[in-house]
Amino acid sequence: MNRDEMLTRVRNRKEPWDIVVIGGGATGAGVAVDAASRGYDVLLLEREDFGKGTSSRATKLVHGGVRYLEQGNVSLVMEALKERGILLRNAPHIVKDLKFIVPNYSWWEAPFYGIGMKIYDFLAGKYSFGSSKVLSLEETLALLPTIRQDGLRGGVMYHDGQFDDTRLLINLMTTAAEHGATLLNYAGVVELKKDEAGFVQGVVAIDSENGERFEIAARSVVNATGIFTDETRRLAEPGVQPMMVPSQGIHLIFDHSFLTGDTALMVPQTDDGRVLFAVPWHGRTLVGTTDTPIPSVSYEPLPFEEEIDFVLETAGRYLTHKPTREDILSVFVGIRPLVKAAGASDGKTSSLSRDYTIHIDHSGLLTIVGGKWTTYRHMAEDSVDHATTLGRLEEKPCVTATLHIHGYHQHPEEFGVLSVYGTDALAILELAKENPDLLRPLHPDLPYIAAEVVWSARNEMSRTLDDALARRTRALLLNARAAVEIAPAVASLLAKELGKDATWVDEQVKSFKAMAAQYIPQGTKYPASPASS
Ligand SMILES: Cc1cc2nc3c(=O)[nH]c(=O)nc-3n(C[C@H](O)[C@H](O)[C@H](O)COP(=O)(O)OP(=O)(O)OC[C@H]3O[C@@H](n4cnc5c(N)ncnc54)[C@H](O)[C@@H]3O)c2cc1C
């Protein structure tokens, strides 16, 4: 993927695009892959970087959602379990089968969760990742050596999936590009163009790198802007009723010692009514998440003090080594775009539907919002089916159920630390042939080499230090202090690739450090939750 080449295609385009997708998160990427692989002409426009919104901030699970089963939402669970299986089949280099254990401290938990997980297995049908099992105390301790032992009776083990959200996102973008889609980051839609009858016929986008303005004609426009859904809908109809309710969740990252082994811990019912996970991820322990309603949205939401205390306290009840604020390597926050129409009976966002909604405004703007990362493919198929009808496009069948995602490799572990790149790992290592220095680790506490940064600038449209350290590599999430320490070196690598000067490097480092400070909780005072005031 080369941004200059993408820009040239947009400039040279005379015909309307079949489908223009606004938003470059999981939802927009899915739509672009689906539509391009069916053979439509697709343009995807992202205002910031791909994944800068919610799609880089997930708990990294490809799952059916055990909690939705508890809520009785069987069809949502079944659909997600099927998509989990499809995703493992199409992207085995990024999606992994992971064992989860629900620890049992009361007599009723083993039969209760044991039966629940058997239903979960059953609903997965032929897409099952493996059978669940009630474990003895010894078996539980063997898999979760750092679980709190007093009162522990055993556990229930089940299987679910795990992934790296932005690695999958970039591979989806690349897959779309390989099928002819044009994709631009840093190109926000600022207007929707309508015909005399008031139907959306295109968009106006601005390249935020140089201010260039594009008038873009489209047969169909898909709004996949997540938490910015209503803002985009207002571009077509200023008075529309909002349909999205934002709710934020935080994750804390700790080192491996808090959860040794390769099994995750799942707490089905926390005090805020959510599930809490402690998951091994890229050699760290990821713990989350919360569910706090918030009044407004932003790209870099702050955690609330209460959320940090809540996650530390809840994790501390289950782990032998109680984590403290000093142990946090990074804190990152995501905002869920929940759909209001589903309604909440108790005023809590944790009871709002996690299902997705397709909504068509009077202007013909198609909005796809809600759902989960796990179900992005199914959401995309449904959206493209609707978009082709709206755009009067020739009908073409969806092919993504069996479409391999870029980087596909059945045994990625043979690529060692580069396994998450799948087949691209070989090309990254090739870069070191021209410059062996690129094999050097970027930091002793991070699993990245310099070649990955160069690769991301040349092939994955990495344009800023934030892109390279937060979403192409995951340095900011894995260890925010280490990410800040390598910022100058990484900015210099990027500058060389992108033809930028020393002033650009300085500006990048300065703005990245300012942003990264909020990922480091030691010495940072966060706001109080709106719920507490
Ligand atoms: C804390 C948390 C944990 C989660 N964990 C999981 C999990 O483990 N597994 C799972 O399956 N799901 C999970 N989810 C859900 C999942 O992350 C989301 O459903 C998904 O990422 C939403 O993707 P999206 O593309 O709709 O939104 P986004 O990723 O936010 O993408 C929308 C994009 O639109 C862009 N945009 C906005 N306005 C414009 C404009 N005018 N022009 C151009 N672009 C624009 C934004 O910049 C943004 O990049 C989690 C969510 C949260 C909040």
Side-chain angles (χ1 to χ4, degrees), residues 363-391:
S363 62
L365 177 70
L366 188 153
T367 292
I368 165 84
V369 63
K372 312 200 286 175
W373 235 121
T374 308
T375 53
Y376 83 92
R377 191 208 66 82
H378 178 74
M379 292 164 63
E381 180 176 352
D382 202 358
S383 309
V384 175
D385 285 346
H386 282 79
T388 51
T389 307
L390 276 177

Side-chain angles (χ1 to χ4, degrees), residues 89-391:
R89 193 172 66 197
N90 292 338
H93 59 299
I94 297 184
V95 180
K96 300 272 159 295
D97 168 21
L98 186 65
K99 286 193 192 99
F100 289 73
I101 293 183
V102 180
N104 301 156
Y105 291 94
S106 301
W107 67 266
W108 57 269
E109 288 176 309
F112 182 77
Y113 292 115
I115 292 170
M117 294 314 173
K118 282 292 166 213
I119 298 173
Y120 198 64
D121 292 349
F122 175 74
L123 293 177
K126 65 177 182 177
Y127 297 101
S128 169
F129 276 27
S131 289
S132 62
K133 191 177 169 221
V134 175
L135 303 180
S136 66
L137 178 62
E138 293 69 33
E139 287 170 320
T140 304
L141 289 174
L143 288 170
L144 281 181
T146 54
I147 184 87
R148 180 172 63 83
Q149 291 184 28
D150 44 318
L152 185 70
R153 305 166 73 100
V156 176
M157 185 273 293
Y158 70 101
H159 294 257
D160 238 329
Q162 187 190 36
F163 75 136
D164 182 320
D165 47 15
T166 53
R167 289 309 320 159
L168 178 59
L169 184 73
I170 296 302
N171 282 174
L172 285 172
M173 294 293 178
T174 311
T175 308
E178 284 165 353
H179 285 85
T182 301
L183 315 149
L184 273 181
N185 50 2
Y186 297 103
V189 169
V190 291
E191 275 176 46
L192 292 176
K193 288 162 36 124
K194 294 192 202 165
D195 63 12
E196 305 83 63
F199 284 106
V200 170
Q201 291 289 299
V203 304
V204 176
I206 307 271
D207 177 354
S208 60
E209 290 196 351
N210 64 8
E212 192 173 349
R213 181 185 164 96
F214 297 102
E215 302 256 343
I216 295 162
R219 296 198 167 86
S220 183
V221 177
V222 175
N223 169 18
T225 53
I227 54 172
F228 303 99
T229 288
D230 292 323
E231 180 192 310
T232 309
R233 290 174 63 228
R234 281 195 288 271
L235 293 177
E237 292 174 51
V240 286
Q241 285 295 313
M243 60 186 288
M244 201 277 305
V245 182
S247 166
Q248 83 171 26
I250 75 157
H251 302 90
L252 304 181
I253 300 278
F254 303 100
D255 72 31
H256 180 63
S257 66
F258 286 88
L259 194 74
T260 52
D262 51 10
T263 303
L265 166 71
M266 195 273 229
V267 178
Q269 190 79 32
T270 63
D271 293 347
D272 84 339
R274 276 191 66 79
V275 168
L276 190 93
F277 293 99
V279 187
W281 189 61
H282 290 319
R284 308 286 184 282
T285 303
L286 182 158
V287 185
T289 173
T290 50
D291 198 327
T292 313
I294 49 167
S296 57
V297 300
S298 66
Y299 278 105
E300 287 295 343
L302 288 168
F304 300 120
E305 285 291 338
E306 291 89 340
E307 290 183 296
I308 296 190
D309 292 344
F310 173 80
V311 175
L312 286 175
E313 213 264 314
T314 311
R317 275 191 234 159
Y318 292 91
L319 300 174
T320 42
H321 181 179
K322 273 184 194 297
T324 67
R325 199 167 172 125
E326 298 311 307
D327 297 314
I328 302 172
L329 297 174
S330 183
V331 48
F332 65 94
V333 186
I335 307 178
R336 290 181 191 83
L338 302 176
V339 182
K340 208 187 224 171
S345 53
D346 60 0
K348 278 188 182 172
T349 45
S350 56
S351 64
L352 273 175
S353 171
R354 262 60 180 167
D355 221 339
Y356 72 89
T357 293
I358 289 183
H359 177 87
I360 298 161
D361 280 306
H362 297 306
S363 62
L365 177 70
L366 188 153
T367 292
I368 165 84
V369 63
K372 312 200 286 175
W373 235 121
T374 308
T375 53
Y376 83 92
R377 191 208 66 82
H378 178 74
M379 292 164 63
E381 180 176 352
D382 202 358
S383 309
V384 175
D385 285 346
H386 282 79
T388 51
T389 307
L390 276 177

